[in-house]
Structure formats: structure tokens, C-alpha cells
Amino acid sequence: MMDLLHWDGTLSAKDFRIGAVAFAQKWESLNFAFPPWVWVPCPKHPWLASPELLQEEGYLSMEKICISRLNEEDIDQTTQIDTDEEEASCSGNKDVIDDATLVQRNHHELHYYDFHIVYSNTFRVPVLYLRAYCSDGQPLQLDEIEKELPTCSSKELSKSKWTFITQEEHPHLKRPWYKLHPCGTGEWMKLLFLNDTAQPKFEVVLELYLLSWFSVVGQVVGLRIPFKMLNDR
Amino acid sequence: MEAQKYVWDGAIPLQIHLHESQVTTLPPPPPALILAPRIGYLPLLASLLKPYFSSTLPPGVDTIWFDYNGLPLKWYIPTGVLFDLLCAEPERPWNLTVHFRGYPGTVLIPCEGEDSVKWSYINSLKEAAYIMNGNCKNVMNMSQSDQLELWHSVMNGNLETYQRVSSKLKLATVEDEHTSLCSSKSQQGFGETDLAGQVKTGRVPVRLYVWSVSEDFDDLEDMPKVDSWEKISYINRPVEIHKEDKCFTLHDALKILVPEFFSNDLMNVKSAGVDFEDALRIPSEDVSSDKVVEDHVQNAYEHREACSISSSAEIKLIRIQGIEPKLEIPFSWVVNNLMNPDYFLHICVCVKVPQQNST
């Protein structure tokens, strides 16, 4: 199939789809705190008459992730607000988002993140797109997101404002999203697998590609993959 | 390379109206008339428009954006491409509306002035370099002063400076197929070096914009206006030039990008009512290829099956840098002469699609 020694660390669109599905399955099978990754087929072009092509192109989506980087004191206050909310609300609605919309806006407010993993035809690698919003749906600006990023990421962001995370058009949704710039991805992905002494076959690499990729990229936005996911082949 | 000079000198006459919600004086200010470079970007006109309209603006913070018939214009698409895409029947002057308030942040990427535009350009250049060279190190390692000089050459339309600075990037070039014989059957990848030491590439950065129209019309003048970006499909995919016995043409390139339009061979285009014969305005030396385009439609495509193709999608118009090029032009000529300064070839296509029965 493919000789890993000459592999440049990139994927074809088809490989991406196979790798994405494998990643989503593994993610779900481990069933930890995060919601599942869902494969979203791209809206078809209006000139395509038949739905067969729908599976071809798409992206992975994981939405409404609550990332809170609050300190102890903040957490106490947040919990307090939530508790008040519960008492005030008698609807019995279990929908977290709906409940939260009633919370007063303040700087302790919870923020929600949507993550999409989109294939780049240019760089031939997965690219992470994200957006963040308050519980009332109000989008967060980059400087607000920056405050919630791990320290090394926010440092990088202030150092390279235009080449690290920028707002760009989501390739499929055609709306502004934040994008993590992908230009070195192929190279470090290749290194990740070259260091593997087991010299896996390309099929195995494909299975692990997105997991390995996300173990690096996820950290940039503060999402860590549990070790058991990485160790368990 | 005379055509490239034409492209760089190309400009769109704009008649820019201030949006009525921002007019606070009577009489309202007359529209501004500006010749906007094709290769430029709309927010760069702010330095001219702001002083012109400043006395009538309400108090507040300025963030400039434009619309055409209510459609917010994406500032990161070069002005010439917007014009080719949204004005099938060229409107001169092109009537745009400028806004200094109420930025439509859910539709448009925020623009923080010239810096945003510059970095959008540099990032696009980086992308192109990656496609052509297999990496974008040369763009990333460009010195601060080169980067600025390159950007200023684009902003000011200075082709000579642009050529001098961009040559330092050592970007692989596309071999002119109409000047050399296409003898090799092999597919050209990147990194091949010819005798002169020039690195050649077979991968071409392309941004394709497809406007789908479902309404019937006979004349370009009767075409509906684009009222939503939803009607425009954007395909950002490199084209791999396949070297064969015959030249790789624009037709071959489009067939790779949107095979669906060529399922019924070229007749689709010929019957579309667009006269491709007189359409080419820029002269090129030798494009009178006598090969029959129809004879290689049987090419196998990567993954799209003929059976899933809408039989009646029909290309109405193909426009690159204001030109409606013949499909049999060598693609290498098109790329080398009509690309934008970001090394991308921007192609605008208008296609008639059948009315959708279902959703």
C-alpha cells in the first residue's frame, strides 16, 4: 500500500474520512467526559442531483463543550449561581444550555466551544476550526478566548497574531470561525510516526492518525486526550 | 508576459454610495467615484473613502464594509474577482454601497484595516507556496522588509517590484506548455528541475467560485442578482497538471475540479448561448490548438461517478480576470498570465442548475 519511509505525513481526502470515522469510534468507545465526534456530510452542491456523493466530503464536529478554567473561588460562585437558578426554575427542563440562558451575564459565566475537524485540500491534513460563545449565544471574540487558552497558547497567540489562530471562513459553513493554522502539520505528523519503533502499516497509521493529531492540537485549546486512549491500540 | 501587465493594470470603475442609515447631512453626499485595482481589496479603499464621507457620518467607531445590492462583500476576495463573480453582465461603473457602522460579523470575517488584508494575502501566498513547492518555508522565512515590500507592491500595483521580491521566494513555476513540446507521459510532481535550474511544479493553486442559478434566462442582462453567498459554492482545491501527448487545457483543469459539468461533454458549454469564440480579449501567441476537446471526456475521475451527475447542469459563463477564455487554451498559459499576486488562479463560473424538486 504505502511506504511509510517515503510518506510525507499527509492524507488524501478519502484517507481523512476513513481516519475520521476510526477516531470518532474510538472516542466514543472510551466514553469519557466529552460528547461524541459526529461526522457531518457537507451540504451538497446545487448542481449535484444525487445524494450518493454526500458521504464523500464532510467534517467531524463536537459541539457545546464547556471549558471552564475558573479558579476555586470562581467555581464556588458559579455553582452558587447555578443552584439559585435551579431553585428559581420550576420547569424541570434538564437542558443545560436552556437553563444557563437565564443566568446573568458576568465574568464568571460559562463559555461553550464548538470544534470542527475539517480536511484541507491544500495542506492535505486535518485542520481544527473552533468557535466559542456564552450561554446566551453571544459569540466570544478572540481576546476573550485567549484568556481561556493554556498559557503556552496565549503566549504564542500574542507573539504570532496572524499566523497561529485567525478568524477565517469555515470552508463548509461559510461563516467566520477561528482556525488553527495547519502549515506545519504534515511534517510533525510524519515525525510522530517515524519515531514509532513498531513501524506500523499505513492502515494502522490511518487508524491512529487523527488521535495522534488531536493529542497535539487539542492541547493548544486545552483539550487533553486521556492517556488510556493513546496507549490502547 | 504582457498579459500579466494587463492584469496588474486592470481596474474596476466604482461608484460608491454611502449607506443611507449613515447619512446625517442634507443634501446627502454624492457617490464617490474610484478606480479600484482588480488585484486589490475593498477595505484598502478606506483611505480614500473615509475622508470623503467623514463629514456626514454619525459619531461612533468606523468599521468599513461594502455591499452590492444588499449582499455583504467578502473583503478577502480580490476586487476583480468579486466583480467577475457578481456582475455577469459587467456594470460600469459598479454601484457599491459603503458602510462604516453595523459590521455584519456573522457573515463577514472581521477586518482590522490594512493589517488584516495584508495577512490574509500573506496567508494565501503561504497556501499557494505549499501547493507548488510542497512547503511554505520561503514565505514564512521572508524577511520583514521583503514582506512589506511585497505587500506594498501588491497594494500599489507595482509589477516590477513584485516580480523582483517574489522571485526571492523561489516558488516553483508552471512550465509553459505552449512553448515546449509535451513529450513526456509522466505526471509532473513538484521538485523537478529543468536545465536552467528553475524548479517546475505540476500543482496549481486554484480558487473556484461557482454561482448556481436556477432561474431561466436567455441573456446575461436578465440574470438574477446574487442575493446570498449560499448560492456560491467555493472550491479551494489544487489542480494537478497531467502531462500527456497533448496540452493540458483549461477544459481539462475544470473537468478535474467540477467533473459534473462535463458529463455530457463540451456540448453543455457550446449550447449555453455564450459565444466563446470572440470572448478572449487578451491576445496570446499560439492557442489555436487543433485538437478536439471532446475526445478525452472519458477520463476516469478520482471518485465521482457519472451516474450521480445532474444531467442538465450547464455552464453559462467562465470568467478569469474579466476575460471569458476559450476552454482549449493551455492551462499553463492561463495560470502564468492570469493568476493573482497571491499565486492563486481565481476562476468564476456561472452555472444553470435545474429547479430543485426536493429540498
Side-chain angles (χ1 to χ4, degrees), chain B residues 117-130:
Chain B
V117 186
K118 175 187 145 190
W119 280 101
S120 165
Y121 167 76
I122 300 280
N123 284 330
S124 186
L125 184 67
K126 228 162 67 179
E127 204 182 326
Y130 190 91

Side-chain angles (χ1 to χ4, degrees), chain A residues 10 45 65 104 120 132 143 146-147 181 188 202-203 213 222:
Chain A
T10 66
H45 296 306
I65 314 300
Q104 293 282 314
S120 159
D143 56 338
E146 188 179 343
K147 285 180 213 147
H181 281 241
W188 57 255
F202 188 70
E203 291 91 326
W213 172 82

Side-chain angles (χ1 to χ4, degrees), chain A residues 8-10 12-14 17 43-53 56-57 119-125 129 139 141-142 160-179 181-187, chain B residues 74 76 105-110 112 115-117 119-120 123 126-128 130-131 134-137 140 190 203 210 212 229-238 258 260-261 303-305 307-311 313 344 351 353-354 356 358-359:
Chain A
D8 61 1
T10 66
S12 71
K14 193 179 163 207
R17 196 178 76 243
K44 65 173 184 170
H45 296 306
W47 59 81
L48 295 175
S50 136
E52 279 100 89
L53 295 176
E56 273 305 332
E57 273 190 88
Y119 179 72
S120 159
N121 280 299
T122 296
F123 296 103
R124 296 168 48 87
V125 293
Y129 284 80
Q141 298 305 313
L142 189 55
S160 23
K161 180 182 177 192
W162 301 99
T163 48
F164 179 51
I165 299 177
T166 55
Q167 210 164 21
E168 284 188 31
E169 192 172 295
H170 188 295
H172 303 300
L173 302 179
K174 298 175 183 173
R175 291 277 184 273
W177 276 60
Y178 292 102
K179 168 183 148 182
H181 281 241
C183 37
T185 306
E187 271 168 44
Chain B
K74 297 184 177 180
Y76 40 94
T106 54
V107 192
L108 298 184
I109 295 165
E112 299 170 27
D115 247 9
S116 294
V117 186
W119 280 101
S120 165
N123 284 330
K126 228 162 67 179
E127 204 182 326
Y130 190 91
I131 291 167
N135 67 74
C136 40
K137 290 189 185 101
M140 284 159 86
F190 35 65
R203 300 186 74 207
V210 183
S212 305
W229 284 103
E230 300 295 321
K231 297 207 173 133
I232 292 175
S233 308
Y234 168 56
I235 296 171
N236 179 22
R237 198 178 299 149
V258 274
E260 302 87 1
F261 299 158
H303 51 250
R304 293 180 188 197
E305 307 272 315
C307 60
S308 58
I309 285 158
S310 158
S311 55
F344 268 91
V351 70
V353 295
Q356 300 279 307
S358 56
T359 43

Side-chain angles (χ1 to χ4, degrees), chain B residues 162-174:
Chain B
Y162 171 79
Q163 283 170 333
R164 180 172 52 77
V165 184
S166 65
S167 69
K168 294 186 192 173
L169 295 175
K170 299 204 166 26
L171 294 177
T173 53
V174 175

